[in-house]
Amino acid sequence: MAARNSATMESDERVLVITRVFDAPRDLVWKAWTEPERMAQWTGPRGFTLTSCEMDARPGGAYRLSMRSPEGTDHRVSGVYHEIVAPERLVYTWAWVDAQGNPGHETLLTITFADHGAEKTLLTLRQSGFESVTARDGHQGGWNSAFDCLAEYLANSTGLTATQSPITAMMSHSASTQAPEREFVITRVFDAPRALVFKAWTDPKHLARWWGPKGFTNPVCELDARTGGAIRIVMRGPDGTDYPMTGVFQEIVEPERLVFVSEALDAEGKPLFEVLNTVTFSEQGGKTTLRLKARVTKSTAEAPRYLDGMEAGWTQSLERLSEYLATA
């Protein structure tokens, strides 16, 4: 298993930095980023497959990738290598490619690989040049999901045999049901006083207005905002599908800190996964800095397809909270 990710936003709001420790030697992790046969086994968020991979791994060399989503949509990426220092450092550009083959907005990726104790590797990803904070946040969930897939591949890797094709490797990888521990942190500054932001998390009338990704509503939103108090929320997606959850408040320190456990339920009311959520609120100059830490503590075999979108879902929820606070 790999150690948990840590993700931070630097002073430049359009830069994403993710660090992760993998339980594998640096040479193997390096090969997983520079050999097409190995790239095919983990690249892309969970559920995606790499349908093509062309790499000219040298300074000035180009690469092209095509990933297919579970819905069958192809997502193409292209770029150029700027720097390759084996097995320490990769620098290359990254751009999505449209249906006509035209690259879009370009960002710069810097990946560093460092030995970290016995047979472990500390990997740091830095992606800069995003057009917006929203674009940056949209990449974070995808990279974290891909890193989970990379951790699984490395845990089971003994190297590809001569008879093992990339297609076979991708099928084997996609069938994996291992659920590694997950944790992420999101920090956001709201242009609203701390008391109001705290109330938006603890008053069901407020919470129902912003909870959930964009386009979702909350026909059921019940909170007993006290230590040991219960939470029951039913989110309804744009297509009418209901997503129920329950939870319990473990700690409430008004207006500074909330700790609660949440459980997502399936259609039969059985838990899919459990998350420990810690939310802190600090005020400066009439604004509020919110820090959300979410750690998955339990999960089932069905959980990964939901967990892959959790971080992006929280990001959209906090965007909705910002919009709500502007009018509250």
Side-chain angles (χ1 to χ4, degrees):
M1 292 287 291
R4 295 189 295 267
N5 286 36
S6 66
T8 61
M9 305 308 168
E10 297 185 346
S11 57
D12 183 347
E13 290 185 340
R14 294 180 297 167
V15 176
L16 172 66
V17 179
I18 302 175
T19 62
R20 182 141 179 183
V21 176
F22 292 98
D23 191 9
R26 182 168 64 165
D27 285 346
L28 179 58
V29 181
W30 172 266
K31 289 178 180 178
W33 284 80
T34 55
E35 296 182 2
E37 294 83 358
R38 297 180 189 272
M39 289 279 289
Q41 299 194 64
W42 67 270
T43 300
R46 189 181 298 278
F48 281 62
T49 55
L50 197 66
T51 56
S52 68
C53 181
E54 303 172 10
M55 301 171 62
D56 182 9
R58 60 181 178 83
Y63 72 91
R64 292 181 66 89
L65 309 176
S66 182
M67 297 177 285
R68 182 162 296 161
S69 73
E71 299 78 23
T73 303
D74 288 333
H75 302 268
R76 290 175 288 274
V77 179
S78 70
V80 175
Y81 291 103
H82 287 191
E83 185 178 348
I84 298 180
V85 182
E88 299 176 1
R89 179 180 170 90
L90 282 174
V91 181
Y92 57 95
T93 58
W94 170 285
W96 296 107
V97 178
D98 65 20
Q100 288 72 44
N102 301 311
H105 180 76
E106 188 176 84
T107 58
L108 184 67
L109 274 165
T110 301
I111 318 293
T112 59
F113 307 77
D115 288 324
H116 190 79
E119 299 295 295
K120 295 180 185 290
T121 302
L122 172 63
L123 184 147
T124 301
L125 175 147
R126 185 181 192 275
Q127 190 168 10
S128 60
F130 288 106
E131 293 179 290
S132 65
V133 173
T134 300
R136 176 204 68 190
D137 292 344
H139 278 69
Q140 182 171 326
W143 278 119
N144 282 332
S145 182
F147 282 4
D148 288 342
C149 295
L150 175 57
E152 293 170 13
Y153 163 65
L154 293 169
N156 298 295
S157 178
T158 56
L160 292 174
T161 66
T163 59
Q164 188 178 22
S165 71
I167 298 299
T168 302
M170 284 190 286
M171 291 175 62
S172 173
H173 168 66
S174 298
S176 173
T177 58
Q178 185 179 356
E181 184 179 8
R182 301 176 184 219
E183 178 177 296
F184 62 85
V185 176
I186 300 175
T187 302
R188 182 95 184 229
V189 178
F190 295 98
D191 191 10
R194 180 168 63 168
L196 177 59
V197 180
F198 189 88
K199 188 174 183 180
W201 282 76
T202 53
D203 185 326
K205 296 189 296 294
H206 288 283
L207 191 72
R209 297 284 299 277
W210 64 268
W211 185 271
K214 292 181 179 179
F216 280 63
T217 58
N218 297 284
V220 177
C221 186
E222 301 171 355
L223 304 177
D224 182 7
R226 61 182 177 84
T227 302
I231 304 167
R232 180 171 177 262
I233 300 174
V234 177
M235 296 188 298
R236 181 164 294 161
D239 62 355
T241 303
D242 286 342
Y243 300 89
M245 63 155 284
T246 59
V248 176
F249 286 106
Q250 293 190 342
E251 184 181 352
I252 298 181
V253 182
E254 186 177 357
E256 299 175 2
R257 177 179 169 90
L258 286 175
V259 181
F260 62 96
V261 172
S262 58
E263 282 190 335
L265 309 178
D266 65 15
E268 298 177 353
K270 298 178 181 178
L272 289 164
F273 57 89
E274 179 184 271
V275 182
L276 177 63
N277 307 275
T278 303
V279 189
T280 59
F281 309 78
S282 58
E283 187 169 27
Q284 185 174 10
K287 297 185 178 184
T288 303
T289 298
L290 181 146
R291 182 180 185 271
L292 166 69
K293 178 180 178 181
R295 179 165 62 88
V296 178
T297 53
K298 298 178 183 178
S299 63
T300 63
E302 294 78 21
R305 66 190 184 98
Y306 298 95
L307 292 172
D308 288 343
M310 183 171 64
E311 190 167 355
W314 268 119
T315 298
Q316 292 185 28
S317 289
L318 296 180
E319 290 173 355
R320 293 182 65 193
L321 174 57
S322 180
E323 294 168 1
Y324 172 66
L325 292 170
T327 62

PDB file of all heavy atoms in Angstrom, residues 211 222-233 245-252 258-264 274-278:
ATOM      1  N   TRP A 211     -25.332  22.016  -0.223  1.00  0.00           N
ATOM      2  CA  TRP A 211     -24.703  20.700  -0.077  1.00  0.00           C
ATOM      3  C   TRP A 211     -24.829  19.897  -1.369  1.00  0.00           C
ATOM      4  O   TRP A 211     -25.891  19.801  -1.952  1.00  0.00           O
ATOM      5  CB  TRP A 211     -25.361  19.958   1.074  1.00  0.00           C
ATOM      6  CG  TRP A 211     -24.750  18.633   1.429  1.00  0.00           C
ATOM      7  CD1 TRP A 211     -25.071  17.421   0.909  1.00  0.00           C
ATOM      8  CD2 TRP A 211     -23.727  18.392   2.401  1.00  0.00           C
ATOM      9  NE1 TRP A 211     -24.320  16.432   1.484  1.00  0.00           N
ATOM     10  CE2 TRP A 211     -23.491  16.997   2.412  1.00  0.00           C
ATOM     11  CE3 TRP A 211     -23.003  19.209   3.257  1.00  0.00           C
ATOM     12  CZ2 TRP A 211     -22.548  16.410   3.256  1.00  0.00           C
ATOM     13  CZ3 TRP A 211     -22.063  18.626   4.099  1.00  0.00           C
ATOM     14  CH2 TRP A 211     -21.841  17.242   4.090  1.00  0.00           C
ATOM     15  N   GLU A 222     -31.549  16.689   7.464  1.00  0.00           N
ATOM     16  CA  GLU A 222     -31.844  16.688   8.895  1.00  0.00           C
ATOM     17  C   GLU A 222     -30.544  16.636   9.681  1.00  0.00           C
ATOM     18  O   GLU A 222     -29.703  15.758   9.459  1.00  0.00           O
ATOM     19  CB  GLU A 222     -32.720  15.479   9.243  1.00  0.00           C
ATOM     20  CG  GLU A 222     -34.038  15.446   8.479  1.00  0.00           C
ATOM     21  CD  GLU A 222     -34.787  14.138   8.664  1.00  0.00           C
ATOM     22  OE1 GLU A 222     -34.228  13.220   9.322  1.00  0.00           O
ATOM     23  OE2 GLU A 222     -35.905  14.019   8.149  1.00  0.00           O
ATOM     24  N   LEU A 223     -30.365  17.605  10.590  1.00  0.00           N
ATOM     25  CA  LEU A 223     -29.158  17.685  11.413  1.00  0.00           C
ATOM     26  C   LEU A 223     -29.535  17.862  12.873  1.00  0.00           C
ATOM     27  O   LEU A 223     -30.433  18.653  13.199  1.00  0.00           O
ATOM     28  CB  LEU A 223     -28.289  18.878  11.005  1.00  0.00           C
ATOM     29  CG  LEU A 223     -27.818  19.036   9.567  1.00  0.00           C
ATOM     30  CD1 LEU A 223     -27.046  20.336   9.438  1.00  0.00           C
ATOM     31  CD2 LEU A 223     -26.952  17.862   9.162  1.00  0.00           C
ATOM     32  N   ASP A 224     -28.851  17.146  13.743  1.00  0.00           N
ATOM     33  CA  ASP A 224     -28.932  17.377  15.181  1.00  0.00           C
ATOM     34  C   ASP A 224     -27.542  17.835  15.601  1.00  0.00           C
ATOM     35  O   ASP A 224     -26.690  17.033  15.977  1.00  0.00           O
ATOM     36  CB  ASP A 224     -29.339  16.088  15.901  1.00  0.00           C
ATOM     37  CG  ASP A 224     -29.485  16.276  17.410  1.00  0.00           C
ATOM     38  OD1 ASP A 224     -29.397  17.431  17.869  1.00  0.00           O
ATOM     39  OD2 ASP A 224     -29.670  15.261  18.118  1.00  0.00           O
ATOM     40  N   ALA A 225     -27.307  19.154  15.483  1.00  0.00           N
ATOM     41  CA  ALA A 225     -25.960  19.711  15.601  1.00  0.00           C
ATOM     42  C   ALA A 225     -25.508  19.788  17.058  1.00  0.00           C
ATOM     43  O   ALA A 225     -25.474  20.849  17.685  1.00  0.00           O
ATOM     44  CB  ALA A 225     -25.897  21.082  14.950  1.00  0.00           C
ATOM     45  N   ARG A 226     -25.144  18.637  17.580  1.00  0.00           N
ATOM     46  CA  ARG A 226     -24.555  18.507  18.920  1.00  0.00           C
ATOM     47  C   ARG A 226     -23.683  17.266  18.905  1.00  0.00           C
ATOM     48  O   ARG A 226     -23.846  16.391  18.044  1.00  0.00           O
ATOM     49  CB  ARG A 226     -25.646  18.387  19.988  1.00  0.00           C
ATOM     50  CG  ARG A 226     -26.536  17.184  19.802  1.00  0.00           C
ATOM     51  CD  ARG A 226     -27.638  17.100  20.848  1.00  0.00           C
ATOM     52  NE  ARG A 226     -28.514  15.961  20.588  1.00  0.00           N
ATOM     53  CZ  ARG A 226     -28.271  14.722  20.989  1.00  0.00           C
ATOM     54  NH1 ARG A 226     -27.150  14.447  21.680  1.00  0.00           N
ATOM     55  NH2 ARG A 226     -29.106  13.746  20.712  1.00  0.00           N
ATOM     56  N   THR A 227     -22.749  17.173  19.846  1.00  0.00           N
ATOM     57  CA  THR A 227     -21.893  15.996  19.910  1.00  0.00           C
ATOM     58  C   THR A 227     -22.739  14.751  20.114  1.00  0.00           C
ATOM     59  O   THR A 227     -23.535  14.675  21.048  1.00  0.00           O
ATOM     60  CB  THR A 227     -20.879  16.139  21.055  1.00  0.00           C
ATOM     61  OG1 THR A 227     -20.103  17.322  20.850  1.00  0.00           O
ATOM     62  CG2 THR A 227     -19.959  14.942  21.108  1.00  0.00           C
ATOM     63  N   GLY A 228     -22.579  13.792  19.211  1.00  0.00           N
ATOM     64  CA  GLY A 228     -23.399  12.589  19.241  1.00  0.00           C
ATOM     65  C   GLY A 228     -24.680  12.707  18.440  1.00  0.00           C
ATOM     66  O   GLY A 228     -25.401  11.721  18.271  1.00  0.00           O
ATOM     67  N   GLY A 229     -24.954  13.901  17.906  1.00  0.00           N
ATOM     68  CA  GLY A 229     -26.167  14.122  17.129  1.00  0.00           C
ATOM     69  C   GLY A 229     -26.090  13.481  15.756  1.00  0.00           C
ATOM     70  O   GLY A 229     -25.013  13.327  15.178  1.00  0.00           O
ATOM     71  N   ALA A 230     -27.250  13.132  15.212  1.00  0.00           N
ATOM     72  CA  ALA A 230     -27.312  12.406  13.948  1.00  0.00           C
ATOM     73  C   ALA A 230     -27.437  13.353  12.758  1.00  0.00           C
ATOM     74  O   ALA A 230     -27.908  14.488  12.875  1.00  0.00           O
ATOM     75  CB  ALA A 230     -28.483  11.435  13.954  1.00  0.00           C
ATOM     76  N   ILE A 231     -27.012  12.839  11.609  1.00  0.00           N
ATOM     77  CA  ILE A 231     -27.114  13.532  10.322  1.00  0.00           C
ATOM     78  C   ILE A 231     -27.837  12.602   9.359  1.00  0.00           C
ATOM     79  O   ILE A 231     -27.521  11.405   9.282  1.00  0.00           O
ATOM     80  CB  ILE A 231     -25.724  13.865   9.758  1.00  0.00           C
ATOM     81  CG1 ILE A 231     -24.899  14.682  10.745  1.00  0.00           C
ATOM     82  CG2 ILE A 231     -25.841  14.582   8.411  1.00  0.00           C
ATOM     83  CD1 ILE A 231     -23.423  14.765  10.384  1.00  0.00           C
ATOM     84  N   ARG A 232     -28.777  13.141   8.617  1.00  0.00           N
ATOM     85  CA  ARG A 232     -29.439  12.369   7.562  1.00  0.00           C
ATOM     86  C   ARG A 232     -29.709  13.302   6.392  1.00  0.00           C
ATOM     87  O   ARG A 232     -30.434  14.292   6.528  1.00  0.00           O
ATOM     88  CB  ARG A 232     -30.734  11.744   8.054  1.00  0.00           C
ATOM     89  CG  ARG A 232     -31.472  10.930   6.974  1.00  0.00           C
ATOM     90  CD  ARG A 232     -32.626  10.138   7.547  1.00  0.00           C
ATOM     91  NE  ARG A 232     -33.359   9.434   6.507  1.00  0.00           N
ATOM     92  CZ  ARG A 232     -34.489   9.875   5.941  1.00  0.00           C
ATOM     93  NH1 ARG A 232     -35.028  11.023   6.353  1.00  0.00           N
ATOM     94  NH2 ARG A 232     -35.087   9.185   4.988  1.00  0.00           N
ATOM     95  N   ILE A 233     -29.103  12.994   5.254  1.00  0.00           N
ATOM     96  CA  ILE A 233     -29.245  13.812   4.052  1.00  0.00           C
ATOM     97  C   ILE A 233     -29.522  12.895   2.873  1.00  0.00           C
ATOM     98  O   ILE A 233     -28.899  11.827   2.747  1.00  0.00           O
ATOM     99  CB  ILE A 233     -27.970  14.645   3.777  1.00  0.00           C
ATOM    100  CG1 ILE A 233     -27.670  15.593   4.954  1.00  0.00           C
ATOM    101  CG2 ILE A 233     -28.105  15.445   2.486  1.00  0.00           C
ATOM    102  CD1 ILE A 233     -26.359  16.337   4.827  1.00  0.00           C
ATOM    103  N   MET A 245     -27.330   9.507   2.689  1.00  0.00           N
ATOM    104  CA  MET A 245     -26.193   9.385   3.588  1.00  0.00           C
ATOM    105  C   MET A 245     -26.649   9.629   5.013  1.00  0.00           C
ATOM    106  O   MET A 245     -27.642  10.322   5.262  1.00  0.00           O
ATOM    107  CB  MET A 245     -25.076  10.369   3.230  1.00  0.00           C
ATOM    108  CG  MET A 245     -25.433  11.824   3.342  1.00  0.00           C
ATOM    109  SD  MET A 245     -24.012  12.928   3.620  1.00  0.00           S
ATOM    110  CE  MET A 245     -23.676  12.629   5.353  1.00  0.00           C
ATOM    111  N   THR A 246     -25.949   9.030   5.945  1.00  0.00           N
ATOM    112  CA  THR A 246     -26.187   9.261   7.363  1.00  0.00           C
ATOM    113  C   THR A 246     -24.859   9.606   8.017  1.00  0.00           C
ATOM    114  O   THR A 246     -23.790   9.432   7.423  1.00  0.00           O
ATOM    115  CB  THR A 246     -26.783   8.013   8.045  1.00  0.00           C
ATOM    116  OG1 THR A 246     -25.874   6.916   7.887  1.00  0.00           O
ATOM    117  CG2 THR A 246     -28.120   7.652   7.445  1.00  0.00           C
ATOM    118  N   GLY A 247     -24.921  10.095   9.239  1.00  0.00           N
ATOM    119  CA  GLY A 247     -23.682  10.444   9.932  1.00  0.00           C
ATOM    120  C   GLY A 247     -23.929  10.794  11.376  1.00  0.00           C
ATOM    121  O   GLY A 247     -25.069  10.823  11.850  1.00  0.00           O
ATOM    122  N   VAL A 248     -22.828  11.066  12.067  1.00  0.00           N
ATOM    123  CA  VAL A 248     -22.874  11.436  13.479  1.00  0.00           C
ATOM    124  C   VAL A 248     -21.826  12.507  13.736  1.00  0.00           C
ATOM    125  O   VAL A 248     -20.676  12.395  13.276  1.00  0.00           O
ATOM    126  CB  VAL A 248     -22.600  10.221  14.395  1.00  0.00           C
ATOM    127  CG1 VAL A 248     -22.557  10.652  15.859  1.00  0.00           C
ATOM    128  CG2 VAL A 248     -23.652   9.138  14.195  1.00  0.00           C
ATOM    129  N   PHE A 249     -22.214  13.553  14.463  1.00  0.00           N
ATOM    130  CA  PHE A 249     -21.258  14.571  14.882  1.00  0.00           C
ATOM    131  C   PHE A 249     -20.422  14.020  16.034  1.00  0.00           C
ATOM    132  O   PHE A 249     -20.963  13.575  17.052  1.00  0.00           O
ATOM    133  CB  PHE A 249     -21.975  15.843  15.339  1.00  0.00           C
ATOM    134  CG  PHE A 249     -22.560  16.653  14.213  1.00  0.00           C
ATOM    135  CD1 PHE A 249     -23.929  16.659  13.993  1.00  0.00           C
ATOM    136  CD2 PHE A 249     -21.741  17.410  13.391  1.00  0.00           C
ATOM    137  CE1 PHE A 249     -24.482  17.415  12.967  1.00  0.00           C
ATOM    138  CE2 PHE A 249     -22.283  18.163  12.356  1.00  0.00           C
ATOM    139  CZ  PHE A 249     -23.655  18.163  12.143  1.00  0.00           C
ATOM    140  N   GLN A 250     -19.109  14.060  15.899  1.00  0.00           N
ATOM    141  CA  GLN A 250     -18.220  13.610  16.962  1.00  0.00           C
ATOM    142  C   GLN A 250     -17.692  14.765  17.809  1.00  0.00           C
ATOM    143  O   GLN A 250     -17.364  14.586  18.978  1.00  0.00           O
ATOM    144  CB  GLN A 250     -17.040  12.836  16.360  1.00  0.00           C
ATOM    145  CG  GLN A 250     -17.436  11.510  15.727  1.00  0.00           C
ATOM    146  CD  GLN A 250     -16.239  10.667  15.371  1.00  0.00           C
ATOM    147  OE1 GLN A 250     -15.109  11.158  15.277  1.00  0.00           O
ATOM    148  NE2 GLN A 250     -16.458   9.379  15.163  1.00  0.00           N
ATOM    149  N   GLU A 251     -17.587  15.944  17.202  1.00  0.00           N
ATOM    150  CA  GLU A 251     -17.072  17.107  17.926  1.00  0.00           C
ATOM    151  C   GLU A 251     -17.630  18.372  17.303  1.00  0.00           C
ATOM    152  O   GLU A 251     -17.655  18.523  16.082  1.00  0.00           O
ATOM    153  CB  GLU A 251     -15.544  17.125  17.869  1.00  0.00           C
ATOM    154  CG  GLU A 251     -14.888  18.239  18.661  1.00  0.00           C
ATOM    155  CD  GLU A 251     -13.373  18.211  18.554  1.00  0.00           C
ATOM    156  OE1 GLU A 251     -12.829  17.232  17.993  1.00  0.00           O
ATOM    157  OE2 GLU A 251     -12.736  19.190  19.008  1.00  0.00           O
ATOM    158  N   ILE A 252     -18.111  19.288  18.130  1.00  0.00           N
ATOM    159  CA  ILE A 252     -18.600  20.588  17.672  1.00  0.00           C
ATOM    160  C   ILE A 252     -18.038  21.647  18.603  1.00  0.00           C
ATOM    161  O   ILE A 252     -18.346  21.677  19.803  1.00  0.00           O
ATOM    162  CB  ILE A 252     -20.136  20.664  17.660  1.00  0.00           C
ATOM    163  CG1 ILE A 252     -20.722  19.635  16.686  1.00  0.00           C
ATOM    164  CG2 ILE A 252     -20.601  22.069  17.278  1.00  0.00           C
ATOM    165  CD1 ILE A 252     -22.239  19.654  16.590  1.00  0.00           C
ATOM    166  N   LEU A 258     -15.600  21.401  13.366  1.00  0.00           N
ATOM    167  CA  LEU A 258     -16.604  20.345  13.265  1.00  0.00           C
ATOM    168  C   LEU A 258     -15.896  19.040  12.918  1.00  0.00           C
ATOM    169  O   LEU A 258     -15.031  19.014  12.036  1.00  0.00           O
ATOM    170  CB  LEU A 258     -17.620  20.626  12.156  1.00  0.00           C
ATOM    171  CG  LEU A 258     -18.681  21.696  12.362  1.00  0.00           C
ATOM    172  CD1 LEU A 258     -19.474  21.867  11.075  1.00  0.00           C
ATOM    173  CD2 LEU A 258     -19.608  21.310  13.512  1.00  0.00           C
ATOM    174  N   VAL A 259     -16.266  17.959  13.585  1.00  0.00           N
ATOM    175  CA  VAL A 259     -15.784  16.640  13.232  1.00  0.00           C
ATOM    176  C   VAL A 259     -17.007  15.734  13.138  1.00  0.00           C
ATOM    177  O   VAL A 259     -17.799  15.656  14.089  1.00  0.00           O
ATOM    178  CB  VAL A 259     -14.793  16.072  14.269  1.00  0.00           C
ATOM    179  CG1 VAL A 259     -14.306  14.687  13.828  1.00  0.00           C
ATOM    180  CG2 VAL A 259     -13.613  17.018  14.459  1.00  0.00           C
ATOM    181  N   PHE A 260     -17.179  15.091  12.000  1.00  0.00           N
ATOM    182  CA  PHE A 260     -18.322  14.191  11.856  1.00  0.00           C
ATOM    183  C   PHE A 260     -17.958  13.013  10.956  1.00  0.00           C
ATOM    184  O   PHE A 260     -17.098  13.108  10.086  1.00  0.00           O
ATOM    185  CB  PHE A 260     -19.549  14.924  11.301  1.00  0.00           C
ATOM    186  CG  PHE A 260     -19.386  15.524   9.927  1.00  0.00           C
ATOM    187  CD1 PHE A 260     -19.819  14.842   8.795  1.00  0.00           C
ATOM    188  CD2 PHE A 260     -18.809  16.781   9.764  1.00  0.00           C
ATOM    189  CE1 PHE A 260     -19.681  15.397   7.537  1.00  0.00           C
ATOM    190  CE2 PHE A 260     -18.673  17.341   8.507  1.00  0.00           C
ATOM    191  CZ  PHE A 260     -19.097  16.643   7.387  1.00  0.00           C
ATOM    192  N   VAL A 261     -18.629  11.904  11.219  1.00  0.00           N
ATOM    193  CA  VAL A 261     -18.497  10.706  10.395  1.00  0.00           C
ATOM    194  C   VAL A 261     -19.703  10.638   9.479  1.00  0.00           C
ATOM    195  O   VAL A 261     -20.836  10.864   9.907  1.00  0.00           O
ATOM    196  CB  VAL A 261     -18.419   9.439  11.270  1.00  0.00           C
ATOM    197  CG1 VAL A 261     -18.476   8.180  10.408  1.00  0.00           C
ATOM    198  CG2 VAL A 261     -17.141   9.439  12.100  1.00  0.00           C
ATOM    199  N   SER A 262     -19.463  10.347   8.208  1.00  0.00           N
ATOM    200  CA  SER A 262     -20.560  10.209   7.260  1.00  0.00           C
ATOM    201  C   SER A 262     -20.484   8.862   6.563  1.00  0.00           C
ATOM    202  O   SER A 262     -19.398   8.342   6.321  1.00  0.00           O
ATOM    203  CB  SER A 262     -20.522  11.336   6.218  1.00  0.00           C
ATOM    204  OG  SER A 262     -19.285  11.347   5.526  1.00  0.00           O
ATOM    205  N   GLU A 263     -21.646   8.283   6.257  1.00  0.00           N
ATOM    206  CA  GLU A 263     -21.726   7.016   5.543  1.00  0.00           C
ATOM    207  C   GLU A 263     -22.629   7.176   4.324  1.00  0.00           C
ATOM    208  O   GLU A 263     -23.770   7.636   4.453  1.00  0.00           O
ATOM    209  CB  GLU A 263     -22.317   5.912   6.427  1.00  0.00           C
ATOM    210  CG  GLU A 263     -21.351   5.321   7.424  1.00  0.00           C
ATOM    211  CD  GLU A 263     -21.939   4.091   8.087  1.00  0.00           C
ATOM    212  OE1 GLU A 263     -23.184   3.973   8.158  1.00  0.00           O
ATOM    213  OE2 GLU A 263     -21.152   3.232   8.543  1.00  0.00           O
ATOM    214  N   ALA A 264     -22.113   6.847   3.153  1.00  0.00           N
ATOM    215  CA  ALA A 264     -22.937   6.803   1.944  1.00  0.00           C
ATOM    216  C   ALA A 264     -23.639   5.455   1.891  1.00  0.00           C
ATOM    217  O   ALA A 264     -23.031   4.416   2.169  1.00  0.00           O
ATOM    218  CB  ALA A 264     -22.084   7.012   0.710  1.00  0.00           C
ATOM    219  N   GLU A 274     -17.357   4.783   4.593  1.00  0.00           N
ATOM    220  CA  GLU A 274     -17.418   5.693   5.734  1.00  0.00           C
ATOM    221  C   GLU A 274     -16.271   6.685   5.643  1.00  0.00           C
ATOM    222  O   GLU A 274     -15.153   6.323   5.279  1.00  0.00           O
ATOM    223  CB  GLU A 274     -17.332   4.907   7.041  1.00  0.00           C
ATOM    224  CG  GLU A 274     -17.374   5.776   8.295  1.00  0.00           C
ATOM    225  CD  GLU A 274     -17.193   4.944   9.548  1.00  0.00           C
ATOM    226  OE1 GLU A 274     -18.211   4.457  10.088  1.00  0.00           O
ATOM    227  OE2 GLU A 274     -16.025   4.786   9.989  1.00  0.00           O
ATOM    228  N   VAL A 275     -16.551   7.942   5.964  1.00  0.00           N
ATOM    229  CA  VAL A 275     -15.548   9.004   5.889  1.00  0.00           C
ATOM    230  C   VAL A 275     -15.529   9.776   7.199  1.00  0.00           C
ATOM    231  O   VAL A 275     -16.590  10.122   7.735  1.00  0.00           O
ATOM    232  CB  VAL A 275     -15.843   9.973   4.719  1.00  0.00           C
ATOM    233  CG1 VAL A 275     -14.752  11.041   4.623  1.00  0.00           C
ATOM    234  CG2 VAL A 275     -15.974   9.230   3.396  1.00  0.00           C
ATOM    235  N   LEU A 276     -14.322  10.045   7.701  1.00  0.00           N
ATOM    236  CA  LEU A 276     -14.152  10.930   8.838  1.00  0.00           C
ATOM    237  C   LEU A 276     -13.824  12.322   8.308  1.00  0.00           C
ATOM    238  O   LEU A 276     -12.815  12.510   7.617  1.00  0.00           O
ATOM    239  CB  LEU A 276     -13.026  10.438   9.753  1.00  0.00           C
ATOM    240  CG  LEU A 276     -12.699  11.331  10.959  1.00  0.00           C
ATOM    241  CD1 LEU A 276     -13.881  11.423  11.907  1.00  0.00           C
ATOM    242  CD2 LEU A 276     -11.461  10.824  11.682  1.00  0.00           C
ATOM    243  N   ASN A 277     -14.682  13.290   8.611  1.00  0.00           N
ATOM    244  CA  ASN A 277     -14.545  14.657   8.095  1.00  0.00           C
ATOM    245  C   ASN A 277     -14.196  15.614   9.229  1.00  0.00           C
ATOM    246  O   ASN A 277     -14.866  15.621  10.261  1.00  0.00           O
ATOM    247  CB  ASN A 277     -15.852  15.119   7.452  1.00  0.00           C
ATOM    248  CG  ASN A 277     -16.359  14.150   6.409  1.00  0.00           C
ATOM    249  OD1 ASN A 277     -15.948  14.200   5.260  1.00  0.00           O
ATOM    250  ND2 ASN A 277     -17.276  13.266   6.799  1.00  0.00           N
ATOM    251  N   THR A 278     -13.152  16.400   9.035  1.00  0.00           N
ATOM    252  CA  THR A 278     -12.756  17.416  10.007  1.00  0.00           C
ATOM    253  C   THR A 278     -12.754  18.768   9.299  1.00  0.00           C
ATOM    254  O   THR A 278     -12.047  18.945   8.297  1.00  0.00           O
ATOM    255  CB  THR A 278     -11.359  17.128  10.586  1.00  0.00           C
ATOM    256  OG1 THR A 278     -11.360  15.830  11.183  1.00  0.00           O
ATOM    257  CG2 THR A 278     -10.996  18.168  11.631  1.00  0.00           C
TER     258      THR A 278
END
